[in-house]
Amino acid sequence: MKIKHCEWCDSQFESDISYQIYCSVSCREQATKEKIAARYALARRAKRMGKKKLCKSCGQPISVYNDFDLCQACDINPIDVAKALRQIKGISNGKDIPE
Ligand SMILES: [Zn+2]
Ligand SMILES: [Zn+2]
């Protein structure tokens, strides 16, 4: 038997298994959870740093901190869009655009 120190809680335990680094199942589970969380946080950060976000409308790169999918130039007021659509419809119908 060899005396080992648990990688998680640092308590001593005896084991003949060379790859056993945790004293108990719960220590191993907690350490695993921690590792996964750390890796997940790192991956998320890397994604934010490395990935460029592109405008859905014109394809221009936009800030990753912009939560919308459009650049400032394309991110127009929805009321303006509705008005423009109404005008286009009015023209295609051959009618006068009501003011
Ligand atoms: Zn332990
Ligand atoms: Zn755009």
Coordinates of all heavy atoms in Angstrom, one line a residue:
M1 N 0.8 -1.2 0.0 CA 0.0 0.0 0.0 C 0.9 1.3 0.0 O 1.9 1.3 0.7 CB -0.9 0.0 1.2 CG -2.1 -0.8 1.1 SD -3.3 -0.1 -0.1 CE -4.6 -1.4 -0.1
K2 N 0.4 2.2 -0.8 CA 1.1 3.5 -0.8 C 0.3 4.6 -0.2 O -0.9 4.6 -0.4 CB 1.4 3.8 -2.3 CG 2.8 3.5 -2.8 CD 2.9 3.9 -4.2 CE 4.4 4.3 -4.5 NZ 4.5 4.8 -5.9
I3 N 0.9 5.5 0.5 CA 0.2 6.6 1.0 C 0.1 7.7 0.0 O 1.1 8.1 -0.6 CB 0.9 7.2 2.3 CG1 1.1 6.1 3.3 CG2 0.1 8.4 2.9 CD1 -0.2 5.7 4.1
K4 N -1.1 8.2 -0.3 CA -1.2 9.2 -1.3 C -2.0 10.4 -0.7 O -2.7 10.3 0.3 CB -2.0 8.7 -2.5 CG -1.3 7.6 -3.2 CD -2.1 7.2 -4.5 CE -1.2 6.4 -5.4 NZ -1.8 6.5 -6.8
H5 N -1.9 11.5 -1.4 CA -2.7 12.7 -1.0 C -3.8 12.9 -2.0 O -3.5 13.0 -3.2 CB -1.8 13.9 -0.9 CG -0.9 13.9 0.3 ND1 -1.4 14.4 1.5 CD2 0.3 13.4 0.5 CE1 -0.4 14.2 2.4 NE2 0.6 13.6 1.9
C6 N -5.0 13.1 -1.6 CA -6.1 13.3 -2.5 C -5.9 14.7 -3.2 O -5.6 15.7 -2.5 CB -7.4 13.3 -1.7 SG -8.8 13.8 -2.7
E7 N -6.1 14.7 -4.5 CA -5.9 15.9 -5.3 C -7.0 16.9 -5.0 O -6.8 18.1 -5.3 CB -5.9 15.6 -6.8 CG -4.8 14.7 -7.2 CD -3.7 15.6 -8.0 OE1 -4.1 16.3 -9.0 OE2 -2.6 15.5 -7.6
W8 N -8.0 16.5 -4.4 CA -9.2 17.4 -4.2 C -9.2 18.0 -2.7 O -9.2 19.1 -2.5 CB -10.5 16.7 -4.5 CG -11.7 17.6 -4.3 CD1 -12.6 17.6 -3.3 CD2 -12.0 18.8 -5.1 NE1 -13.5 18.6 -3.5 CE2 -13.2 19.3 -4.6 CE3 -11.5 19.3 -6.3 CZ2 -13.8 20.4 -5.2 CZ3 -12.1 20.4 -6.9 CH2 -13.3 21.0 -6.3
C9 N -9.2 17.0 -1.8 CA -9.3 17.5 -0.4 C -8.0 17.4 0.4 O -7.9 17.8 1.5 CB -10.4 16.7 0.3 SG -10.0 14.9 0.6
D10 N -7.0 16.8 -0.3 CA -5.6 16.8 0.3 C -5.5 15.8 1.5 O -4.6 15.9 2.3 CB -5.1 18.2 0.7 CG -3.6 18.2 0.7 OD1 -3.0 17.5 -0.2 OD2 -3.0 18.9 1.5
S11 N -6.5 15.0 1.7 CA -6.4 14.1 2.9 C -5.6 12.8 2.4 O -5.6 12.5 1.2 CB -7.8 13.7 3.4 OG -8.5 13.0 2.4
Q12 N -5.0 12.1 3.4 CA -4.2 11.0 3.0 C -5.1 9.7 2.8 O -6.1 9.6 3.5 CB -3.2 10.7 4.2 CG -2.1 11.6 4.2 CD -1.0 11.2 5.2 OE1 -1.1 10.2 5.8 NE2 0.0 12.0 5.3
F13 N -4.7 8.9 1.9 CA -5.4 7.7 1.7 C -4.4 6.7 1.1 O -3.3 7.0 0.6 CB -6.6 7.8 0.7 CG -6.2 8.2 -0.7 CD1 -6.2 7.2 -1.7 CD2 -5.9 9.5 -1.1 CE1 -5.9 7.5 -3.0 CE2 -5.6 9.8 -2.4 CZ -5.6 8.8 -3.4
E14 N -4.8 5.4 1.3 CA -3.9 4.3 0.8 C -4.4 3.7 -0.4 O -5.6 3.4 -0.5 CB -3.8 3.2 1.9 CG -3.0 3.7 3.1 CD -2.8 2.6 4.1 OE1 -3.4 1.5 3.9 OE2 -2.0 2.8 5.1
S15 N -3.5 3.5 -1.4 CA -4.0 2.8 -2.6 C -2.8 2.2 -3.3 O -1.7 2.7 -3.3 CB -4.7 3.9 -3.5 OG -5.0 3.3 -4.7
D16 N -3.1 1.1 -4.0 CA -2.1 0.5 -4.9 C -2.3 0.8 -6.3 O -1.5 0.5 -7.2 CB -2.2 -1.1 -4.7 CG -1.4 -1.6 -3.6 OD1 -0.4 -0.9 -3.2 OD2 -1.7 -2.6 -3.0
I17 N -3.4 1.5 -6.6 CA -3.7 1.9 -7.9 C -3.0 3.2 -8.3 O -3.2 4.2 -7.6 CB -5.2 2.1 -8.2 CG1 -6.0 0.8 -7.7 CG2 -5.6 2.3 -9.6 CD1 -7.5 1.0 -7.4
S18 N -2.1 3.1 -9.2 CA -1.2 4.3 -9.5 C -2.0 5.5 -10.0 O -1.6 6.6 -9.7 CB -0.1 3.9 -10.5 OG -0.7 3.5 -11.7
Y19 N -3.1 5.2 -10.7 CA -3.8 6.4 -11.3 C -4.8 7.0 -10.4 O -5.5 7.9 -10.7 CB -4.4 6.0 -12.7 CG -5.3 4.8 -12.7 CD1 -6.6 5.0 -12.2 CD2 -4.9 3.6 -13.1 CE1 -7.5 3.9 -12.2 CE2 -5.7 2.5 -13.1 CZ -7.0 2.6 -12.7 OH -7.8 1.5 -12.6
Q20 N -5.0 6.3 -9.2 CA -6.0 6.9 -8.3 C -5.4 8.1 -7.6 O -4.4 8.1 -6.9 CB -6.4 5.8 -7.2 CG -7.6 6.3 -6.5 CD -8.0 5.3 -5.4 OE1 -7.6 4.1 -5.4 NE2 -8.9 5.7 -4.5
I21 N -6.0 9.3 -7.9 CA -5.5 10.5 -7.3 C -6.5 11.1 -6.3 O -6.2 12.1 -5.7 CB -5.1 11.5 -8.4 CG1 -6.3 11.7 -9.4 CG2 -3.9 11.0 -9.1 CD1 -6.0 12.9 -10.3
Y22 N -7.7 10.5 -6.2 CA -8.7 11.0 -5.2 C -9.0 10.0 -4.2 O -9.0 8.8 -4.5 CB -10.0 11.5 -6.0 CG -9.7 12.5 -7.1 CD1 -9.9 12.2 -8.4 CD2 -9.2 13.8 -6.8 CE1 -9.6 13.1 -9.4 CE2 -9.0 14.7 -7.8 CZ -9.2 14.3 -9.1 OH -8.9 15.2 -10.1
C23 N -9.3 10.4 -3.0 CA -9.5 9.5 -1.9 C -10.9 8.8 -2.0 O -11.1 7.7 -1.5 CB -9.3 10.2 -0.5 SG -10.6 11.4 -0.2
S24 N -11.8 9.5 -2.6 CA -13.2 9.0 -2.6 C -13.9 9.3 -3.9 O -13.4 10.2 -4.7 CB -14.0 9.5 -1.5 OG -14.1 10.9 -1.6
V25 N -15.0 8.7 -4.1 CA -15.8 8.9 -5.4 C -16.3 10.4 -5.4 O -16.2 11.0 -6.4 CB -17.0 7.9 -5.5 CG1 -17.9 8.3 -6.6 CG2 -16.4 6.5 -5.6
S26 N -16.7 10.8 -4.2 CA -17.3 12.2 -4.1 C -16.2 13.2 -4.4 O -16.4 14.3 -5.1 CB -17.9 12.5 -2.8 OG -17.0 12.8 -1.8
C27 N -14.9 13.0 -4.0 CA -13.8 13.9 -4.3 C -13.6 13.9 -5.8 O -13.4 14.9 -6.4 CB -12.6 13.5 -3.6 SG -12.5 14.1 -1.9
R28 N -13.6 12.7 -6.4 CA -13.4 12.6 -7.8 C -14.5 13.3 -8.6 O -14.2 14.0 -9.6 CB -13.3 11.1 -8.2 CG -12.7 10.9 -9.6 CD -12.8 9.5 -10.1 NE -14.2 9.1 -10.3 CZ -14.7 7.9 -10.2 NH1 -13.9 6.9 -9.9 NH2 -16.0 7.7 -10.4
E29 N -15.7 13.1 -8.2 CA -16.8 13.8 -8.9 C -16.8 15.3 -8.8 O -17.0 16.0 -9.8 CB -18.1 13.3 -8.3 CG -18.5 11.9 -8.9 CD -19.8 11.4 -8.3 OE1 -20.4 12.0 -7.4 OE2 -20.2 10.3 -8.8
Q30 N -16.4 15.8 -7.6 CA -16.3 17.2 -7.4 C -15.2 17.8 -8.3 O -15.4 18.9 -8.9 CB -16.1 17.6 -6.0 CG -17.4 17.5 -5.1 CD -17.1 17.9 -3.7 OE1 -17.0 19.1 -3.4 NE2 -16.9 16.9 -2.8
A31 N -14.1 17.1 -8.3 CA -12.9 17.6 -9.1 C -13.3 17.6 -10.6 O -12.9 18.5 -11.3 CB -11.7 16.7 -8.8
T32 N -14.0 16.6 -11.0 CA -14.3 16.4 -12.4 C -15.3 17.6 -12.8 O -15.1 18.2 -13.8 CB -15.0 15.1 -12.7 OG1 -14.1 14.0 -12.3 CG2 -15.4 14.9 -14.1
K33 N -16.3 17.9 -11.9 CA -17.2 18.9 -12.2 C -16.5 20.3 -12.3 O -16.8 21.1 -13.2 CB -18.2 19.0 -11.0 CG -19.6 18.7 -11.4 CD -20.6 18.9 -10.3 CE -21.0 17.5 -9.7 NZ -21.8 17.7 -8.5
E34 N -15.5 20.5 -11.4 CA -14.7 21.7 -11.4 C -14.0 21.9 -12.7 O -13.9 22.9 -13.3 CB -13.8 21.7 -10.2 CG -13.1 23.0 -10.0 CD -13.8 23.8 -8.9 OE1 -15.0 23.8 -8.9 OE2 -13.1 24.5 -8.2
K35 N -13.4 20.8 -13.2 CA -12.6 20.8 -14.4 C -13.5 21.1 -15.6 O -13.1 21.9 -16.5 CB -11.9 19.4 -14.6 CG -10.5 19.3 -14.0 CD -9.9 18.0 -14.4 CE -8.9 17.6 -13.4 NZ -8.5 16.2 -13.5
I36 N -14.7 20.5 -15.6 CA -15.6 20.7 -16.7 C -16.0 22.1 -16.8 O -16.0 22.8 -17.8 CB -16.8 19.7 -16.6 CG1 -16.3 18.3 -16.9 CG2 -17.9 20.1 -17.6 CD1 -17.4 17.2 -16.5
A37 N -16.3 22.7 -15.6 CA -16.8 24.1 -15.5 C -15.7 25.0 -16.0 O -15.9 26.0 -16.7 CB -17.2 24.4 -14.1
A38 N -14.4 24.7 -15.6 CA -13.3 25.6 -16.0 C -13.1 25.5 -17.5 O -12.8 26.5 -18.1 CB -12.0 25.1 -15.2
R39 N -13.2 24.3 -18.0 CA -13.0 24.2 -19.4 C -14.1 24.9 -20.2 O -13.9 25.5 -21.3 CB -13.0 22.7 -19.8 CG -12.4 22.4 -21.1 CD -12.4 20.9 -21.4 NE -11.7 20.1 -20.4 CZ -11.9 18.8 -20.3 NH1 -12.7 18.1 -21.1 NH2 -11.2 18.1 -19.4
Y40 N -15.3 24.8 -19.7 CA -16.5 25.4 -20.3 C -16.3 26.9 -20.4 O -16.5 27.6 -21.4 CB -17.7 25.0 -19.6 CG -19.0 25.6 -20.2 CD1 -19.5 25.1 -21.4 CD2 -19.7 26.5 -19.5 CE1 -20.6 25.6 -21.9 CE2 -20.9 27.0 -20.0 CZ -21.4 26.5 -21.2 OH -22.5 27.0 -21.8
A41 N -15.9 27.5 -19.2 CA -15.7 28.9 -19.1 C -14.6 29.4 -20.1 O -14.7 30.4 -20.7 CB -15.3 29.3 -17.7
L42 N -13.5 28.6 -20.2 CA -12.4 28.9 -21.1 C -12.9 28.9 -22.6 O -12.5 29.8 -23.3 CB -11.3 27.9 -20.9 CG -9.9 28.4 -20.9 CD1 -9.5 29.2 -19.7 CD2 -8.9 27.3 -21.2
A43 N -13.6 27.9 -22.9 CA -14.1 27.7 -24.3 C -15.0 28.8 -24.6 O -15.0 29.4 -25.8 CB -14.9 26.4 -24.4
R44 N -15.9 29.2 -23.7 CA -16.8 30.4 -23.9 C -16.0 31.6 -24.2 O -16.4 32.4 -25.1 CB -17.7 30.6 -22.7 CG -19.0 29.9 -22.9 CD -19.8 30.1 -21.6 NE -20.2 31.4 -21.4 CZ -21.5 31.9 -21.3 NH1 -22.4 31.0 -21.3 NH2 -21.7 33.1 -21.1
R45 N -15.0 31.9 -23.4 CA -14.2 33.1 -23.5 C -13.5 33.1 -24.9 O -13.4 34.1 -25.6 CB -13.2 33.2 -22.4 CG -12.8 34.6 -22.1 CD -11.8 34.7 -20.9 NE -12.3 34.0 -19.8 CZ -11.4 33.4 -18.9 NH1 -10.1 33.5 -19.1 NH2 -11.9 32.8 -17.8
A46 N -12.9 31.9 -25.2 CA -12.2 31.8 -26.5 C -13.1 32.1 -27.7 O -12.7 32.7 -28.6 CB -11.6 30.4 -26.6
K47 N -14.3 31.6 -27.5 CA -15.3 31.8 -28.6 C -15.6 33.3 -28.8 O -15.6 33.8 -29.9 CB -16.6 31.1 -28.2 CG -17.3 30.5 -29.3 CD -18.5 29.7 -28.8 CE -19.4 29.3 -29.9 NZ -20.6 28.6 -29.4
R48 N -15.7 34.0 -27.7 CA -16.0 35.5 -27.7 C -14.8 36.2 -28.3 O -15.0 37.1 -29.1 CB -16.2 36.0 -26.3 CG -17.6 35.7 -25.9 CD -18.2 37.0 -25.2 NE -19.6 37.1 -25.5 CZ -20.5 38.0 -25.1 NH1 -20.0 38.9 -24.2 NH2 -21.7 38.0 -25.4
M49 N -13.6 35.8 -27.9 CA -12.4 36.5 -28.4 C -12.1 36.2 -29.9 O -11.8 37.1 -30.6 CB -11.2 36.0 -27.6 CG -11.3 36.3 -26.1 SD -11.3 38.0 -25.7 CE -9.5 38.3 -25.7
G50 N -12.3 35.0 -30.3 CA -11.8 34.6 -31.6 C -12.9 34.7 -32.7 O -12.5 35.0 -33.8
K51 N -14.1 34.6 -32.3 CA -15.1 34.6 -33.4 C -15.6 36.0 -33.7 O -15.9 36.8 -32.8 CB -16.3 33.7 -32.9 CG -17.1 33.1 -34.1 CD -18.1 32.2 -33.6 CE -19.5 32.7 -34.0 NZ -20.6 32.0 -33.3
K52 N -15.7 36.2 -35.0 CA -16.2 37.5 -35.4 C -17.7 37.4 -35.8 O -18.0 36.4 -36.4 CB -15.4 38.0 -36.7 CG -14.3 38.9 -36.3 CD -13.8 39.7 -37.6 CE -12.5 40.3 -37.2 NZ -11.4 40.0 -38.1
K53 N -18.4 38.3 -35.3 CA -19.8 38.3 -35.6 C -20.1 39.1 -36.9 O -19.5 40.2 -37.0 CB -20.6 38.9 -34.4 CG -21.8 38.1 -34.0 CD -22.3 38.6 -32.7 CE -23.8 38.8 -32.7 NZ -24.3 39.1 -31.4
L54 N -20.9 38.6 -37.7 CA -21.2 39.3 -39.0 C -22.6 39.8 -39.0 O -23.5 39.0 -38.6 CB -20.8 38.5 -40.2 CG -19.4 38.0 -40.3 CD1 -19.2 37.1 -41.5 CD2 -18.4 39.2 -40.4
C55 N -22.8 40.9 -39.6 CA -24.2 41.4 -39.7 C -25.0 40.5 -40.6 O -24.5 40.1 -41.7 CB -24.1 42.8 -40.3 SG -25.8 43.5 -40.8
K56 N -26.2 40.2 -40.2 CA -27.1 39.3 -41.0 C -27.5 39.9 -42.3 O -27.9 39.2 -43.2 CB -28.3 38.9 -40.1 CG -28.0 37.8 -39.1 CD -29.0 36.6 -39.3 CE -28.5 35.4 -38.5 NZ -29.0 35.5 -37.2
S57 N -27.5 41.2 -42.3 CA -28.0 41.9 -43.5 C -27.0 42.2 -44.5 O -27.1 41.9 -45.7 CB -28.7 43.1 -43.1 OG -29.2 43.8 -44.2
C58 N -25.8 42.8 -44.1 CA -24.8 43.2 -45.1 C -23.5 42.5 -45.0 O -22.6 42.6 -45.8 CB -24.6 44.7 -44.9 SG -23.8 45.2 -43.4
G59 N -23.3 41.7 -43.9 CA -22.1 40.8 -43.8 C -20.9 41.6 -43.2 O -19.8 41.0 -43.2
Q60 N -21.1 42.8 -42.8 CA -20.0 43.6 -42.1 C -19.8 43.0 -40.8 O -20.7 42.6 -40.1 CB -20.4 45.0 -42.0 CG -20.4 45.8 -43.3 CD -19.1 46.0 -43.9 OE1 -18.1 46.4 -43.2 NE2 -18.9 45.6 -45.2
P61 N -18.5 43.0 -40.4 CA -18.2 42.5 -39.0 C -18.8 43.5 -38.0 O -18.6 44.7 -38.1 CB -16.7 42.4 -38.9 CG -16.2 43.2 -40.1 CD -17.3 43.3 -41.1
I62 N -19.4 42.9 -36.9 CA -19.9 43.7 -35.8 C -19.3 43.3 -34.5 O -18.8 42.2 -34.4 CB -21.4 43.7 -35.8 CG1 -22.0 42.3 -35.8 CG2 -22.0 44.5 -37.0 CD1 -23.5 42.2 -35.6
S63 N -19.4 44.1 -33.5 CA -18.9 43.8 -32.2 C -19.6 42.6 -31.6 O -20.8 42.4 -31.7 CB -19.1 45.0 -31.3 OG -19.0 44.6 -29.9
V64 N -18.7 41.7 -31.0 CA -19.3 40.5 -30.4 C -20.1 40.8 -29.2 O -20.9 40.0 -28.7 CB -18.2 39.5 -30.0 CG1 -17.6 38.8 -31.2 CG2 -17.1 40.1 -29.1
Y65 N -19.9 42.0 -28.7 CA -20.7 42.5 -27.5 C -22.1 43.0 -27.9 O -22.9 43.3 -27.1 CB -19.9 43.4 -26.7 CG -18.7 42.8 -26.2 CD1 -17.4 43.1 -26.7 CD2 -18.7 41.8 -25.2 CE1 -16.3 42.5 -26.3 CE2 -17.6 41.2 -24.7 CZ -16.4 41.5 -25.3 OH -15.2 40.9 -24.8
N66 N -22.2 43.2 -29.3 CA -23.5 43.6 -29.8 C -24.4 42.3 -29.8 O -24.2 41.3 -30.4 CB -23.3 44.0 -31.2 CG -24.6 44.6 -31.9 OD1 -25.7 44.3 -31.4 ND2 -24.5 45.3 -32.9
D67 N -25.5 42.4 -29.0 CA -26.4 41.3 -28.9 C -27.3 41.1 -30.1 O -28.0 40.1 -30.2 CB -27.2 41.4 -27.6 CG -26.3 41.0 -26.4 OD1 -25.4 40.2 -26.5 OD2 -26.6 41.6 -25.3
F68 N -27.3 42.0 -31.0 CA -28.2 41.9 -32.1 C -27.4 41.4 -33.3 O -26.2 41.4 -33.3 CB -28.8 43.3 -32.5 CG -29.6 43.9 -31.3 CD1 -29.0 44.9 -30.5 CD2 -30.9 43.4 -31.0 CE1 -29.7 45.4 -29.4 CE2 -31.5 43.9 -29.9 CZ -31.0 44.9 -29.1
D69 N -28.1 40.9 -34.3 CA -27.4 40.3 -35.4 C -27.2 41.3 -36.6 O -26.9 40.9 -37.7 CB -28.2 39.1 -35.9 CG -28.2 38.0 -34.9 OD1 -27.2 37.8 -34.2 OD2 -29.3 37.3 -34.8
L70 N -27.5 42.6 -36.3 CA -27.3 43.6 -37.4 C -26.3 44.6 -36.9 O -26.2 45.0 -35.8 CB -28.7 44.2 -37.6 CG -29.8 43.3 -38.2 CD1 -31.1 44.0 -38.2 CD2 -29.5 42.9 -39.6
C71 N -25.6 45.2 -37.9 CA -24.7 46.3 -37.7 C -25.5 47.6 -37.4 O -26.7 47.6 -37.7 CB -23.7 46.5 -38.8 SG -24.4 47.2 -40.3
Q72 N -24.8 48.6 -37.1 CA -25.6 49.9 -36.7 C -26.3 50.4 -38.0 O -27.3 51.0 -37.9 CB -24.6 50.9 -36.2 CG -24.6 50.9 -34.7 CD -23.7 52.0 -34.1 OE1 -22.6 52.1 -34.5 NE2 -24.2 52.7 -33.1
A73 N -25.6 50.2 -39.1 CA -26.2 50.8 -40.4 C -27.5 50.0 -40.7 O -28.4 50.6 -41.3 CB -25.2 50.7 -41.5
C74 N -27.5 48.7 -40.5 CA -28.7 47.9 -40.9 C -29.8 47.9 -39.7 O -30.9 47.6 -40.0 CB -28.3 46.5 -41.2 SG -27.2 46.4 -42.6
D75 N -29.3 48.2 -38.5 CA -30.3 48.1 -37.4 C -31.1 49.3 -37.4 O -30.9 50.3 -36.7 CB -29.5 48.0 -36.1 CG -30.4 47.7 -34.9 OD1 -31.5 47.3 -35.1 OD2 -29.9 48.0 -33.8
I76 N -32.1 49.3 -38.2 CA -33.0 50.5 -38.3 C -34.3 50.4 -37.5 O -34.7 49.3 -37.2 CB -33.3 50.9 -39.8 CG1 -33.5 49.6 -40.6 CG2 -32.2 51.7 -40.4 CD1 -34.0 49.9 -42.0
N77 N -34.9 51.5 -37.3 CA -36.1 51.5 -36.5 C -37.2 50.7 -37.2 O -37.5 50.9 -38.4 CB -36.5 53.0 -36.5 CG -37.6 53.2 -35.5 OD1 -38.5 52.3 -35.2 ND2 -37.7 54.4 -34.9
P78 N -37.8 49.8 -36.5 CA -38.9 48.9 -37.2 C -40.0 49.7 -37.7 O -40.7 49.3 -38.7 CB -39.3 48.0 -36.0 CG -38.8 48.5 -34.8 CD -37.6 49.4 -35.2
I79 N -40.3 50.9 -37.1 CA -41.4 51.8 -37.6 C -41.0 52.3 -39.0 O -41.9 52.3 -39.9 CB -41.6 53.0 -36.6 CG1 -42.1 52.4 -35.3 CG2 -42.6 54.0 -37.2 CD1 -42.1 53.3 -34.1
D80 N -39.7 52.6 -39.2 CA -39.3 53.1 -40.5 C -39.4 52.0 -41.5 O -39.8 52.2 -42.7 CB -37.8 53.5 -40.4 CG -37.6 54.9 -39.7 OD1 -38.6 55.6 -39.5 OD2 -36.5 55.2 -39.2
V81 N -39.1 50.8 -41.1 CA -39.2 49.6 -42.0 C -40.6 49.4 -42.5 O -40.9 49.3 -43.6 CB -38.7 48.3 -41.3 CG1 -38.9 47.1 -42.2 CG2 -37.2 48.5 -41.0
A82 N -41.5 49.5 -41.5 CA -43.0 49.3 -41.8 C -43.5 50.4 -42.8 O -44.2 50.1 -43.7 CB -43.8 49.4 -40.5
K83 N -43.0 51.6 -42.5 CA -43.4 52.8 -43.4 C -42.9 52.5 -44.8 O -43.6 52.7 -45.8 CB -42.8 54.0 -42.8 CG -43.7 55.3 -43.0 CD -43.0 56.5 -42.6 CE -42.9 56.8 -41.1 NZ -42.1 58.0 -40.8
A84 N -41.6 52.1 -44.9 CA -41.0 51.9 -46.2 C -41.7 50.8 -47.0 O -42.0 50.9 -48.2 CB -39.5 51.5 -46.1
L85 N -42.1 49.7 -46.2 CA -42.8 48.6 -46.8 C -44.2 49.0 -47.4 O -44.6 48.6 -48.4 CB -43.0 47.5 -45.8 CG -41.7 46.6 -45.6 CD1 -42.0 45.6 -44.5 CD2 -41.4 45.8 -46.9
R86 N -44.8 49.9 -46.6 CA -46.1 50.4 -47.0 C -46.0 51.2 -48.3 O -46.8 51.1 -49.2 CB -46.7 51.3 -45.9 CG -48.0 50.6 -45.2 CD -48.8 51.6 -44.5 NE -48.0 52.5 -43.7 CZ -47.8 52.4 -42.4 NH1 -48.3 51.5 -41.7 NH2 -47.1 53.3 -41.7
Q87 N -44.9 52.0 -48.3 CA -44.7 52.8 -49.5 C -44.4 52.0 -50.7 O -45.0 52.2 -51.8 CB -43.5 53.8 -49.3 CG -43.8 54.9 -48.3 CD -42.7 55.9 -48.2 OE1 -41.6 55.7 -48.7 NE2 -42.9 57.0 -47.5
I88 N -43.6 50.9 -50.6 CA -43.3 50.0 -51.7 C -44.6 49.4 -52.2 O -44.8 49.3 -53.4 CB -42.2 49.0 -51.2 CG1 -40.9 49.7 -51.0 CG2 -42.1 47.9 -52.3 CD1 -39.9 48.9 -50.1
K89 N -45.4 48.9 -51.2 CA -46.7 48.3 -51.6 C -47.6 49.2 -52.3 O -48.2 48.9 -53.3 CB -47.4 47.8 -50.3 CG -47.2 46.3 -50.0 CD -48.1 45.9 -48.9 CE -47.5 44.7 -48.2 NZ -48.1 44.5 -46.9
G90 N -47.6 50.5 -51.8 CA -48.4 51.5 -52.4 C -48.0 51.8 -53.9 O -48.9 51.8 -54.8
I91 N -46.7 51.8 -54.1 CA -46.2 52.1 -55.4 C -46.5 50.9 -56.4 O -47.0 51.1 -57.5 CB -44.6 52.3 -55.4 CG1 -44.3 53.6 -54.7 CG2 -44.0 52.3 -56.8 CD1 -42.9 53.7 -54.1
S92 N -46.3 49.7 -55.9 CA -46.6 48.5 -56.7 C -48.0 48.3 -57.0 O -48.4 47.7 -58.1 CB -46.0 47.2 -56.0 OG -46.7 46.9 -54.9
N93 N -48.9 48.9 -56.2 CA -50.3 48.8 -56.5 C -50.8 49.9 -57.4 O -52.0 49.9 -57.8 CB -51.1 48.8 -55.1 CG -51.0 47.6 -54.4 OD1 -50.6 46.5 -54.9 ND2 -51.4 47.6 -53.1
G94 N -49.9 50.8 -57.6 CA -50.2 51.9 -58.5 C -51.1 53.0 -57.9 O -51.8 53.7 -58.5
K95 N -51.2 53.0 -56.5 CA -52.0 53.9 -55.8 C -51.1 55.0 -55.2 O -49.9 54.9 -55.0 CB -52.7 53.2 -54.7 CG -53.9 52.3 -55.2 CD -54.4 51.5 -54.0 CE -55.3 50.4 -54.5 NZ -55.5 49.3 -53.5
D96 N -51.8 56.1 -54.9 CA -51.1 57.2 -54.2 C -50.8 56.8 -52.8 O -51.5 56.1 -52.1 CB -52.0 58.5 -54.2 CG -52.1 59.1 -55.6 OD1 -51.1 58.8 -56.4 OD2 -53.1 59.7 -55.8
I97 N -49.6 57.3 -52.3 CA -49.2 57.0 -50.9 C -49.9 57.9 -50.0 O -49.7 59.1 -50.1 CB -47.7 57.0 -50.8 CG1 -47.0 56.1 -51.8 CG2 -47.3 56.7 -49.3 CD1 -45.7 56.7 -52.3
P98 N -50.7 57.4 -49.1 CA -51.4 58.3 -48.2 C -50.4 58.9 -47.1 O -49.6 58.2 -46.6 CB -52.5 57.5 -47.5 CG -52.0 56.1 -47.7 CD -51.1 56.0 -48.9
E99 N -50.5 60.2 -46.9 CA -49.6 60.8 -46.0 C -50.1 60.6 -44.6 O -51.3 60.7 -44.3 CB -49.6 62.3 -46.2 CG -48.7 62.6 -47.4 CD -47.2 62.1 -47.3 OE1 -46.7 62.3 -46.2 OE2 -46.7 61.6 -48.3
Ligands
ZN1 ZN -10.5 13.6 -1.1
ZN2 ZN -25.3 45.6 -41.8

